[in-house]
Amino acid sequence: VVAVYGTLSDLLSVASTKLGIKATSVYNGRGGLIDDIALVRDDDVLFVCEGEPFIDLQTDINTPEALTGSHSDWITLNVGGRYFTTTRSTLVSKEPDSMLSRMFKDKDAWGNKRDHRGAFLVDRSPEYFEPILNYLRHGQLIVNEGINLLGVLEEARFFGIDSLIEHVEVAIKNSQPAEDHSPISRKEFVRFLLATSTKSELRCQGLNFSGADLSRLDLRYINFKMANLSRCNLAHANLCCANLERADLSGSVLDSANLQGVKMLCSNAEGASLKGCNFEDPSGLKANLEGANLKGVDMEGSQMTGINLRVATLKNAKLKNCNLRGATLAGSYFQNCDLSGCDLQEANLRGSNVKGAIFEEMLTPLHMSQSVR
């Protein structure tokens, strides 16, 4: 029982002292908010609080919501300086196992972490929290223009809104531009070459050049590892010391190309045309085609002194009049290969399969060891 006098602020000050709280609001017995001391009547029973809404103890305490701990009363959240008003049921019903549900399932779970207006303090980004609150209200992901979905995803993970995480991840995937797998044209590549310093390593790993006309271009030392060069026109191109490891050159035309010191390990050149190519490097750097797929390739008249074709597949290939002097051909597959007119002096054919191969009109005598099949 207190004496009521002075202003409403005086009453709140007295109530705060007597009850040990920071009283900010006064209600009458019927839940009416008193904002003027003149509204107080004799024998009124007043209720003071720190900002939470009025609760009628006679009717609310025995409601199902009160007994289960799930409250539907209105609350205010101060999220990063921005205020949101919602109900406890919104925060706890849709995702009962989320952090937000645990924070507000019990009225005193958040302790005394409130601001001067009595709003619950939440130290998170308000622009990313708004889509989360709206999702809890109606179950739909609605994000205003300019809001980064990655930020919403991070907040959804922080608050443990599992069903929302999946929605946001799908939205992020759908918002990404479709990957452009179209082949690079000659014009685009030439522009790229001109913009690159000759001292810089040009890396074209995995790029798609399928069907492009790259003939007569200077492509020395370029890294084409695992690139798609199928059906490309590379005639008369300078591929000296280029890296074509595991590249797809199937059906391509490389006639008269300069392939000195080229690396074509495990590349696929099936059905390609390499007539009159030069693999011979005067400095001694040898071209490496180890393990390459050269089925049906036409390499007629090519200079391949010292080339490494170990365990390469040359089934049905045409190597007529090729210079293979000192070449490493160990373990290669030459079935039905045309080797007529080839220079195989000092070539290593140990373990090679030459079944059905043509060796007519050899420029030098061919001496096969017993390991040659």
Side-chain angles (χ1 to χ4, degrees):
V1 179
V2 297
V4 177
Y5 60 89
T7 64
L8 186 62
S9 297
D10 296 329
L11 173 59
L12 292 172
S13 178
V14 172
S16 297
T17 302
K18 286 187 172 291
L19 300 176
I21 64 173
K22 186 178 180 180
T24 60
S25 304
V26 182
Y27 295 91
N28 62 22
R30 293 179 297 278
L33 180 63
I34 297 174
D35 58 6
D36 190 335
I37 196 71
L39 298 175
V40 178
R41 297 291 180 261
D42 291 344
D43 299 324
D44 269 351
V45 177
L46 305 179
F47 295 84
V48 296
C49 67
E50 294 182 307
E52 62 270 26
F54 176 79
I55 300 174
D56 189 342
L57 299 180
Q58 300 302 316
T59 59
D60 290 357
I61 195 64
N62 293 319
T63 60
E65 291 83 0
L67 293 174
T68 60
S70 177
H71 305 285
S72 60
D73 48 298
W74 290 92
I75 60 174
T76 300
L77 308 178
N78 180 346
V79 183
R82 181 176 166 187
Y83 289 90
F84 296 88
T85 301
T86 185
T87 63
R88 290 183 190 272
S89 61
T90 295
L91 299 176
V92 305
S93 299
K94 188 171 182 62
E95 290 281 346
D97 296 325
S98 69
M99 179 188 293
L100 278 174
S101 179
R102 294 194 299 270
M103 287 165 59
F104 295 101
K105 186 174 182 179
D106 297 321
K107 287 197 169 185
D108 297 327
W110 204 233
N112 296 318
K113 295 181 180 179
R114 304 193 190 191
D115 65 9
H116 65 284
R117 293 171 55 178
F120 292 95
L121 288 166
V122 181
D123 186 20
R124 303 300 294 180
S125 170
E127 63 176 349
Y128 300 138
F129 180 78
E130 183 177 10
I132 291 176
L133 181 57
N134 286 331
Y135 175 78
L136 294 176
R137 286 168 172 161
H138 46 62
Q140 299 293 325
L141 173 62
I142 300 175
V143 181
N144 294 332
E145 186 177 355
I147 301 298
N148 192 329
L149 285 169
L150 292 175
V152 179
L153 177 61
E154 186 61 31
E155 293 302 287
R157 288 171 175 167
F158 175 81
F159 288 113
I161 315 296
D162 293 337
S163 60
L164 177 57
I165 292 174
E166 184 177 351
H167 285 292
V168 180
E169 288 177 338
V170 171
I172 290 174
K173 183 177 180 180
N174 293 337
S175 66
Q176 299 297 323
E179 293 185 13
D180 185 7
H181 295 290
S182 57
I184 299 173
S185 67
R186 178 185 180 92
K187 184 177 180 180
E188 291 173 321
F189 191 54
V190 169
R191 187 185 299 118
F192 185 45
L193 289 174
L194 293 175
T196 306
S197 171
T198 54
K199 296 181 180 179
S200 302
E201 180 187 6
L202 196 55
R203 302 180 65 182
C204 299
Q205 291 175 263
L207 296 185
N208 184 6
F209 296 90
S210 179
D213 179 8
L214 305 178
S215 60
R216 301 183 183 276
L217 292 180
D218 186 354
L219 307 174
R220 290 175 296 172
Y221 301 99
I222 295 179
N223 188 347
F224 288 107
K225 186 176 181 179
M226 294 183 290
N228 182 0
L229 292 156
S230 61
R231 297 176 288 102
C232 276
N233 182 3
L234 289 158
H236 300 278
N238 188 354
L239 286 158
C240 176
C241 296
N243 186 351
L244 292 162
E245 182 178 347
R246 299 184 184 276
D248 184 0
L249 289 155
S250 57
S252 293
V253 176
L254 292 93
D255 295 345
S256 303
N258 183 5
L259 298 169
Q260 294 176 351
V262 72
K263 295 179 181 179
M264 291 178 61
L265 288 82
C266 301
S267 60
N268 176 23
E270 184 172 351
S273 177
L274 290 90
K275 292 185 291 187
C277 290
N278 180 24
F279 292 88
E280 184 179 354
D281 189 351
S283 67
L285 186 63
K286 298 179 181 180
N288 190 348
L289 280 74
E290 183 173 333
N293 176 13
L294 301 169
K295 290 180 181 179
V297 71
D298 187 350
M299 305 177 78
E300 184 176 348
S302 293
Q303 294 296 319
M304 295 186 283
T305 301
I307 193 172
N308 182 2
L309 284 167
R310 194 173 76 86
V311 298
T313 300
L314 291 124
K315 183 179 180 180
N316 300 320
K318 297 178 182 179
L319 279 74
K320 189 174 181 180
N321 299 323
C322 287
N323 183 355
L324 287 164
R325 180 172 297 205
T328 300
L329 307 173
S332 297
Y333 191 74
F334 288 98
Q335 185 174 359
N336 300 324
C337 181
D338 186 355
L339 290 160
S340 59
C342 285
D343 183 353
L344 287 164
Q345 186 173 345
E346 299 178 1
N348 180 4
L349 281 158
R350 184 178 297 274
S352 297
N353 185 342
V354 295
K355 182 178 180 181
I358 300 173
F359 292 96
E360 296 176 358
E361 301 176 2
M362 301 289 294
L363 297 183
T364 57
L366 177 63
H367 301 285
M368 299 185 184
S369 68
Q370 292 181 351
S371 60
V372 178
R373 292 177 292 168

